[in-house]
Amino acid sequence: MPRTLTAASIQQQLADGLGVHPGLSVIAHVSLEALGPVEGGAEAVAAAITAAAGTVVMPAFTYQTQVIPQTGPPNNALVYGSGDTLNGRADIFRADLPVHPDCGSVAETLRRHPATLRSLHPILSFVAQGPQARSVLASQTSHNPLGPIAWLEAHDGAVLLMGLDQRHNFSLHLAEQRAGRRTFTRWALTVDAIEELHGIPGCMEGFNAVWPELMPFTTVAQIGMARCELIPLRLLLAYVEERLCADPNFMLCDKPGCLSCRAREVWR
Ligand SMILES: [Zn+2]
């Protein structure tokens, strides 16, 4: 039987194993299940990360607000008019809408914490807690959904992966954007309207292609049963942007039916 983790033991291993410290802001992506048994569950994990790091950001995405219109811009990786069933089930975005299950239970737990703030992008909102929470969230606008990633990079922040691989490393989208990879337009239900949102990034299924190349500047530690990584954003984004400029189809998935990756392929 694996030893049961506690908030205190996770906090200590984040500090000792990965070098997480109170002066460091992180964007965290966590699989509670991958850690193995944790006394106190998602609450304990969220408490450990916020205690170990400075400002902690997590994705609080709400894909469930999306609707598909009848028409729209071309090459948008969307089958227009296909949303009749989905549109009827879409949720109206509001600040207390639960995060999509893909973001995990630790992100949802952090969202519910009274000290946590949230940005208001109807699809790609973030939650944050810590001294710079307000500042990092304010960097996001409806036309600049990746603002918080650039903010963290500018403040020497890092990506913290706990039991998850690069397919969950949302920050890689900023390197894609800087390398000129196209983004998409999506639509979401808000209280007032159907909001049109630009700069929405695409499929992440091919992101593990870059994983081994990140090892020279990645710190790795095992916490419980999970492989955990800390990757400084400045080094990560500079490396991946340059890599994508040299090889524009790198990190796209190879599924023939992936509208997102096929729309972003470059032929030359
Ligand atoms: Zn794909």
Side-chain angles (χ1 to χ4, degrees):
M1 276 291 285
R3 273 181 62 184
T4 300
L5 294 166
T6 63
S9 68
I10 296 170
Q11 180 186 344
Q12 185 171 6
Q13 289 175 68
L14 286 170
D16 297 347
L18 290 179
V20 175
H21 59 87
L24 180 72
S25 297
V26 298
I27 176 163
H29 306 277
V30 185
S31 166
L32 177 63
E33 295 72 25
L35 287 163
V38 180
E39 187 183 320
E43 280 85 4
V45 179
I49 300 169
T50 52
T55 299
V56 175
V57 178
M58 293 190 78
F61 304 157
T62 49
Y63 303 117
Q64 63 271 37
T65 62
Q66 289 188 91
V67 292
I68 300 174
Q70 293 298 316
T71 59
N75 301 320
N76 193 31
L78 204 59
V79 180
Y80 294 113
S82 68
D84 286 354
T85 314
L86 197 73
N87 292 354
R89 289 203 301 261
D91 285 323
I92 295 171
F93 178 78
R94 49 179 210 276
D96 64 348
L97 190 63
V99 312
H100 191 273
D102 284 0
C103 293
S105 59
V106 179
E108 171 61 9
T109 298
L110 189 69
R111 180 195 71 77
R112 290 199 306 261
H113 193 282
T116 298
L117 303 177
R118 188 185 202 173
S119 63
L120 295 176
H121 191 288
I123 302 172
L124 298 176
S125 70
F126 290 92
V127 285
Q129 197 179 120
Q132 304 291 326
R134 193 169 299 280
S135 177
V136 63
L137 294 178
S139 66
Q140 188 182 48
T141 66
S142 59
H143 294 294
N144 184 21
L146 305 185
I149 310 300
W151 188 100
L152 287 166
E153 177 198 30
H155 291 78
D156 290 317
V159 177
L160 172 63
L161 295 171
M162 299 178 73
L164 294 171
D165 59 33
Q166 299 299 327
R167 292 174 300 169
H168 298 266
N169 186 355
F170 188 80
S171 300
L172 291 172
H173 288 310
L174 185 55
E176 288 187 305
Q177 192 176 302
R178 288 175 177 168
R181 188 169 276 176
R182 66 176 299 148
T183 56
F184 301 108
T185 301
R186 292 291 180 264
W187 293 262
L189 283 186
T190 63
V191 174
D192 304 318
I194 293 175
E195 198 169 323
E196 184 172 295
L197 298 154
H198 302 276
I200 305 292
C203 166
M204 303 170 80
E205 279 300 307
F207 280 8
N208 278 338
V210 78
W211 203 352
E213 299 175 30
L214 305 179
M215 284 307 113
F217 45 86
T218 298
T219 307
V220 183
Q222 182 170 343
I223 299 180
M225 288 160 50
R227 176 192 171 95
C228 298
E229 299 191 358
L230 190 74
I231 318 170
L233 270 162
R234 276 188 204 273
L235 296 174
L236 173 73
L237 293 173
Y239 179 82
V240 178
E241 178 186 352
E242 194 180 325
R243 189 71 171 78
L244 288 170
C245 285
D247 182 0
N249 293 331
F250 185 54
M251 288 164 49
L252 295 177
C253 86
D254 54 10
K255 293 190 184 112
C258 178
L259 294 180
S260 172
C261 290
R262 301 295 73 81
R264 295 181 298 161
E265 250 164 346
V266 175
W267 301 95
R268 58 178 187 184

